[in-house]
Amino acid sequence: MSNRTMARQVLLFISVLSLSSVHGQVSYSIPEEMAKGSLVGNIAQDLGLDVKRLKSGKARIYTGDSAEYIELNKERGVLLIREKIDRETLCGQTTPCALHFQIILENPMEFYSITVEITDTNDNAPVFKRNAMTFEISESALTGARFVLERAIDNDVGINGLQSYYLRPTDHFILKPNSKIGSSKNVEMVLQKPLDREEQEHISLTLTALDGGEPQLSGTMQIIITVLDANDNAPVCAEAEYTASISEGAPKGTVLTTISASDADQGSNGRVTYSISNTAEGAAELFEVDEKDGVMRLVGNVDYEKIKHYEIDVQATDQGGHSDACKVIIEVMDTNDNRPAINTMSKTNSISEDATPGTVVTMMNIQDPDSGENGRVQCSMNENIPFAMKSTSNNFFTVVTDGDLDRERDSEYNISVTCSDEGVPSLSSSVTLTLQISDVNDNAPVFERSSYEAYIIENNTPGLSIFTVKARDADWNQNARVSYILGDSSVNGVPVSSYVSVSADSGVIHAVRSFDYEQIKDFQFRVKAQDGGSPPLSSNVTVKIMIQDQNDNAPQVLYPVQTSSSLVAEMVPRSADVGCLVTKVVAVDVDSGQNAWLSYKLQKVTDRALFEVGLQNGEIRTIRQVNDKDAVKQRLTVVVEDNGQPSRSATVNVNVAVADSFPEVLSEFTDFTHDKEYNDNLTFYLVLALAVVSFLFITCLVVIISVKIYRWRQSRILYHSNLPVIPYYPPRYADTLGTGTLQHVYNYEVCRTTDSRKSDCQFARPCSQNVLIMDPSSTGTMQRMQSEQNTPDEPDSPLEVCYI
């Protein structure tokens, strides 16, 4: 690195403004053409920042639309050369030449303005546009005649720019002394010795241009002179300098000025032509001068923001090669042709709804390349939004929160920023910033109703869906995800969870068991809706379940009582009048509502014309006068039916005795039960009797055959033996008059029935008091019978007597 590179100066200026973000300014000075990666300066040290702050704040360089020549090394906190900088390409002839950019920090948002001045190095040699110039000079040219030469161009500035010229050889021509190099004066060659065409017709000179850099650089151009005769007067411009102004955006063909030059010669030697000789790069494409009349016109588009000032050399030349030069200075006037450019330096796409007022959401840089009022910018925002725009420094603005945010009210804001300049007419630009409001769990779930009531029919299937509770949460995403929880409570001492369950995701309430209306008619519990926020928020609602009755119970007859072991009969005297109350069938139904509404009907009756039953009250009354022809035994079958769908019923048999006295009723109703059993069980008894008779027949047949065989064998044994036969009298066997036997005397109590098909049999007990004594000689025998009768070990032989 050269000594001048090593001698670069670093200037540091920091100014802190008391605004919403810290803002400082640092200036550096470096030479051009530094190698990539070269150190510019320790920005962390110069700004008083910690290197950790650069990392945590995600420090970055913001250059707007310009190219980035400088990069930031956050690890070291220094600025380095990113791309080799050519001052001439970057700034041209403008001095000083500087790079302007900003360093942006986040969390919190901060920015610093950095200026890097690029100093010139001698890296460009003076250059002539043409390699050679040709002159035709009359030999009559006077000593002291001046010839304008093409100036050399050196893109460097200052001491490194063009410093001097020298001409070789100097036999006839020398350079005009006291020419101000780099000023608006032209380089002129002066004839110091008259020309003689006959002595030397062609002269070749070398013009050398030198700069002042180290090492010194130079450029050369050949000057070829042809010596002519006769024309000894040069054109003379009417004015040495012409001025003109033009507005940017002026149409092509606009006349700027007219150059005028005169030549004292006559004829072709006095004819003057005009041409542009020297101008800045690019100006030849914007302007032209009429060769004959010297009128200068605009042929391109001028832009005030690119070049504000032009200096153009116009040369007036006669036919003899004599020339004069004048300068045309053109000033470009600014017009309001540029809209303000809105550049977003840093922005936040999302902000929490609990952000405090004054939170920075966007930082912007506004640029208008116009000048004066045309470049003065004012910015505004759309109204009725909780945001405000503040100016932190020249052309830098921040958008901050200016009120409370509520995502449930507005989940998104479209912030329209409009910047207008003060030109006439005013130009403006707009940009829309979309800002999402992130959710905070600040809303508890809300049920659609303050309480719920639901109905379910008893005898339901376990797992049946009863109904759904629904709660909504105004928050978003996880904070709005609602879960349903069954509250801890009990119903009649039993946990409510054994009755119902609730789906955590959908809020559907299911029956856990089958309900019975007759056991529980309603119950209530609480359901909690809880969101998924942190911490979670919740709300509760009361749910009441009403059990609806189903016709699942048949009527129950309370009176008359139906038993199989006894018979109940209602007596109706034969003198009963029409409408006499016989009895009343009393029944209940444990169901409710219309399922418990009972109606009474006669299904079967002995005499349908004698009795009727009340449809609603179950009262059995006579519908005509009872007479002697009516049977004593009357049997009514009453059907008790409820009003359910489908209906259920019960039947009851009512026995009615039409008689005036109880004995008459008793004699008639002794067989009544048997009639009932006979009618109800006739088929069963017939089958049972057939089976029993068949069994007894076979058993008797087997017994008779066995006894016959046994007796036959005994007789054979006695017949073949020689033992004497001794008579044997068993107990309770008496010899009467010595001529035969007679069993003990018994009394028999016999009850006969009037029905020949049935018999009521009783066992007769022996009676010792009624003893028939036939002879006194049998006293001993009778006493023994009485003593044996009192012996408990000797069983009695009851006699069963049945009359059929």
Side-chain angles (χ1 to χ4, degrees):
M1 185 178 294
S2 65
N3 293 332
R4 284 183 291 178
T5 303
M6 296 296 295
R8 73 178 188 273
Q9 298 178 350
V10 180
L11 303 177
L12 174 62
F13 301 98
I14 301 179
S15 59
V16 180
L17 304 180
S18 56
L19 298 172
S20 62
S21 61
V22 179
H23 174 70
Q25 182 173 345
V26 178
S27 297
Y28 296 95
S29 177
I30 62 173
E32 66 174 336
E33 302 295 335
M34 289 181 68
K36 182 178 179 181
S38 299
L39 176 66
V40 175
N42 192 328
I43 189 63
Q45 178 180 345
D46 296 338
L47 291 177
L49 298 175
D50 191 349
V51 175
K52 295 180 179 179
R53 171 61 180 139
L54 297 179
K55 296 179 182 178
S56 63
K58 300 179 181 179
R60 55 189 175 89
I61 291 178
Y62 173 79
T63 61
D65 295 333
S66 304
E68 290 188 19
Y69 294 95
I70 306 298
E71 66 180 1
L72 173 62
N73 188 320
K74 291 184 285 186
E75 302 293 331
R76 297 168 52 195
V78 296
L79 296 176
L80 303 176
I81 299 296
R82 181 177 181 178
E83 297 290 341
K84 186 178 288 187
I85 303 173
D86 186 2
R87 193 205 67 80
E88 289 74 27
T89 302
L90 183 63
C91 300
Q93 295 296 313
T94 302
T95 57
C97 179
L99 292 174
H100 302 279
F101 57 91
Q102 289 76 37
I103 293 181
I104 307 299
L105 296 175
E106 297 180 359
N107 298 322
M109 293 184 180
E110 299 174 326
F111 76 95
Y112 300 88
S113 295
I114 309 299
T115 301
V116 179
E117 182 182 3
I118 310 301
T119 60
D120 186 42
T121 59
N122 191 25
D123 58 341
N124 292 281
V127 176
F128 292 93
K129 287 187 176 181
R130 292 182 286 182
N131 294 327
M133 288 188 67
T134 302
F135 290 91
E136 293 180 350
I137 304 174
S138 175
E139 63 179 348
S140 60
L142 299 176
T143 303
R146 295 175 300 169
F147 302 92
V148 179
L149 302 179
E150 178 180 326
R151 288 187 298 174
I153 299 175
D154 192 339
N155 290 330
D156 294 328
V157 295
I159 191 65
N160 295 323
L162 182 63
Q163 297 296 320
S164 62
Y165 295 91
Y166 67 88
L167 186 65
R168 297 291 184 273
T170 58
D171 295 336
H172 294 87
F173 296 91
I174 60 172
L175 293 179
K176 181 182 179 181
N178 301 325
S179 295
K180 295 182 179 180
I181 303 302
S183 67
S184 60
K185 297 294 184 179
N186 294 310
V187 180
E188 295 180 347
M189 181 178 63
V190 180
L191 180 62
Q192 66 173 352
K193 180 181 178 180
L195 299 175
D196 186 359
R197 188 189 64 81
E198 289 74 22
E199 182 181 349
Q200 188 178 6
E201 184 176 359
H202 299 285
I203 300 173
S204 179
L205 305 174
T206 300
L207 179 63
T208 302
L210 298 172
D211 63 18
E214 290 183 8
Q216 191 176 46
L217 302 177
S218 63
T220 60
M221 181 181 66
Q222 296 295 318
I223 301 174
I224 300 173
I225 300 173
T226 300
V227 181
L228 301 177
D229 281 328
N231 190 5
D232 55 356
N233 291 291
V236 178
C237 292
E239 297 181 18
E241 189 174 278
Y242 292 85
T243 59
S245 62
I246 187 172
S247 299
E248 61 175 337
K252 295 179 181 180
T254 300
V255 176
L256 300 174
T257 187
T258 300
I259 297 95
S260 177
S262 60
D263 194 319
D265 294 328
Q266 294 181 349
S268 60
N269 291 331
R271 188 178 300 122
V272 179
T273 59
Y274 302 91
S275 62
I276 296 176
S277 60
N278 293 306
T279 184
E281 185 178 356
E285 289 79 21
L286 299 176
F287 307 98
E288 69 174 7
V289 63
D290 189 274
E291 188 180 42
K292 294 181 180 180
D293 54 22
V295 176
M296 181 172 284
R297 292 182 174 87
L298 179 67
V299 296
N301 297 318
V302 292
D303 191 347
Y304 175 84
E305 287 71 39
K306 291 182 179 179
I307 302 178
K308 303 176 180 59
H309 176 85
Y310 292 94
E311 291 186 3
I312 301 173
D313 293 335
V314 177
Q315 183 172 328
T317 307
D318 62 13
Q319 296 297 317
H322 295 288
S323 63
D324 192 9
C326 59
K327 185 177 294 294
V328 179
I329 299 175
I330 302 174
E331 298 289 342
V332 179
M333 296 183 298
D334 183 37
T335 59
N336 193 25
D337 60 342
N338 290 283
R339 299 178 182 274
I342 303 176
N343 301 311
T344 302
M345 300 167 58
S346 181
K347 69 175 182 178
T348 299
N349 295 323
S350 177
I351 187 172
S352 176
E353 64 177 323
D354 61 351
T356 58
T359 302
V360 178
V361 297
T362 302
M363 299 175 65
M364 294 182 295
N365 171 239
I366 314 300
Q367 295 179 345
D368 193 326
D370 293 327
S371 63
E373 293 183 351
N374 296 332
R376 194 173 295 121
V377 177
Q378 298 292 334
C379 294
S380 63
M381 294 171 50
N382 48 327
E383 298 179 352
N384 300 322
I385 59 175
F387 298 95
M389 195 169 189
K390 296 182 179 181
S391 176
T392 59
S393 62
N394 188 26
N395 295 333
F396 288 94
F397 298 85
T398 58
V399 177
V400 299
T401 57
D402 192 37
D404 295 330
L405 304 177
D406 188 356
R407 192 206 66 83
E408 289 70 41
R409 183 183 65 230
D410 295 295
S411 61
E412 180 182 275
Y413 287 96
N414 291 320
I415 306 173
S416 296
V417 178
T418 301
C419 295
S420 304
D421 58 29
E422 297 182 3
V424 179
S426 176
L427 299 179
S428 63
S429 296
S430 297
V431 65
T432 299
L433 307 173
T434 300
L435 183 64
Q436 302 288 339
I437 308 302
S438 61
D439 187 44
V440 173
N441 191 26
D442 56 350
N443 291 278
V446 178
F447 284 95
E448 294 178 346
R449 303 179 188 175
S450 58
S451 63
Y452 289 87
E453 286 189 359
Y455 297 87
I456 183 172
I457 300 176
E458 65 172 335
N459 302 317
N460 58 284
T461 303
L464 178 68
S465 172
I466 302 176
F467 77 110
T468 302
V469 293
K470 192 69 176 178
R472 301 185 183 277
D473 195 313
D475 293 322
W476 183 75
N477 205 357
Q478 183 67 26
N479 294 331
R481 187 169 299 161
V482 179
S483 299
Y484 301 92
I485 303 171
L486 186 65
D488 292 333
S489 61
S490 61
V491 179
N492 297 330
V494 179
V496 72
S497 59
S498 65
Y499 286 86
V500 293
S501 65
V502 59
S503 174
D505 296 329
S506 62
V508 178
I509 295 179
H510 298 273
V512 174
R513 62 167 61 178
S514 179
F515 296 109
D516 188 353
Y517 176 83
E518 287 71 38
Q519 294 182 2
I520 181 171
K521 295 179 173 55
D522 62 75
F523 63 94
Q524 65 181 19
F525 54 91
R526 297 182 69 82
V527 174
K528 180 170 71 172
Q530 180 174 287
D531 61 26
S534 180
L537 301 179
S538 63
S539 61
N540 295 285
V541 70
T542 300
V543 179
K544 186 175 184 180
I545 303 296
M546 314 290 288
I547 312 299
Q548 291 184 327
D549 184 42
Q550 193 179 44
N551 192 24
D552 58 343
N553 292 282
Q556 297 178 3
V557 178
L558 302 180
Y559 184 84
V561 178
Q562 300 292 296
T563 62
S564 59
S565 60
S566 62
L567 177 65
V568 178
E570 303 292 339
M571 290 186 60
V572 177
R574 294 187 179 275
S575 61
D577 295 331
V578 176
C580 176
L581 177 63
V582 178
T583 187
K584 181 176 181 178
V585 177
V586 180
V588 294
D589 194 321
V590 295
D591 292 324
S592 65
Q594 65 178 9
N595 294 330
W597 297 349
L598 301 180
S599 59
Y600 303 83
K601 299 177 183 178
L602 283 175
Q603 185 182 49
K604 292 190 299 182
V605 61
T606 304
D607 188 351
R608 188 171 294 276
L610 181 58
F611 300 101
E612 67 175 359
V613 63
L615 181 64
Q616 303 298 332
N617 53 24
E619 294 179 349
I620 298 176
R621 295 179 181 272
T622 59
I623 57 176
R624 64 175 176 80
Q625 181 70 42
V626 179
N627 53 47
D628 295 337
K629 296 181 180 181
D630 293 324
V632 175
K633 298 182 292 183
Q634 297 287 336
R635 185 181 182 189
L636 292 78
T637 302
V638 179
V639 177
V640 183
E641 186 176 40
D642 61 25
N643 198 34
Q645 293 294 331
S647 63
R648 292 178 177 268
S649 62
T651 60
V652 60
N653 293 323
V654 180
N655 299 312
V656 179
V658 179
D660 291 329
S661 62
F662 182 75
E664 182 181 1
V665 174
L666 183 61
S667 63
E668 290 293 332
F669 275 82
T670 302
D671 297 331
F672 201 85
T673 302
H674 301 303
D675 291 340
K676 173 179 178 297
E677 294 177 357
Y678 174 77
N679 292 331
D680 292 341
N681 302 315
L682 179 60
T683 303
F684 172 76
Y685 285 130
L686 288 176
V687 175
L688 181 62
L690 179 61
V692 171
V693 169
S694 299
F695 175 76
L696 292 176
F697 173 77
I698 295 173
T699 302
C700 292
L701 185 62
V702 171
V703 170
I704 292 172
I705 294 173
S706 299
V707 170
K708 289 291 186 183
I709 294 174
Y710 175 77
R711 288 181 177 179
W712 178 78
R713 291 184 63 186
Q714 289 294 327
S715 64
R716 294 291 295 173
I717 293 173
L718 293 176
Y719 178 77
H720 291 288
S721 66
N722 295 320
L723 295 176
V725 178
I726 301 174
Y728 171 74
Y729 299 96
R732 299 183 183 182
Y733 196 85
D735 184 7
T736 304
L737 300 179
T739 59
T741 61
L742 178 67
Q743 288 185 336
H744 298 212
V745 179
Y746 288 85
N747 289 334
Y748 300 96
E749 181 181 355
V750 180
C751 296
R752 302 186 57 199
T753 64
T754 57
D755 191 349
S756 62
R757 296 168 297 178
K758 298 286 184 175
S759 297
D760 187 9
C761 301
Q762 293 186 357
F763 295 106
R765 292 186 172 91
C767 182
S768 61
Q769 291 81 5
N770 299 320
V771 179
L772 179 59
I773 301 175
M774 299 301 294
D775 193 288
S777 61
S778 61
T779 304
T781 303
M782 296 302 295
Q783 290 175 353
R784 184 175 60 88
M785 290 176 56
Q786 291 176 1
S787 61
E788 290 177 354
Q789 188 176 11
N790 295 328
T791 301
D793 294 334
E794 297 180 3
D796 295 334
S797 299
L799 177 64
E800 181 181 357
V801 181
C802 297
Y803 291 91
I804 301 175

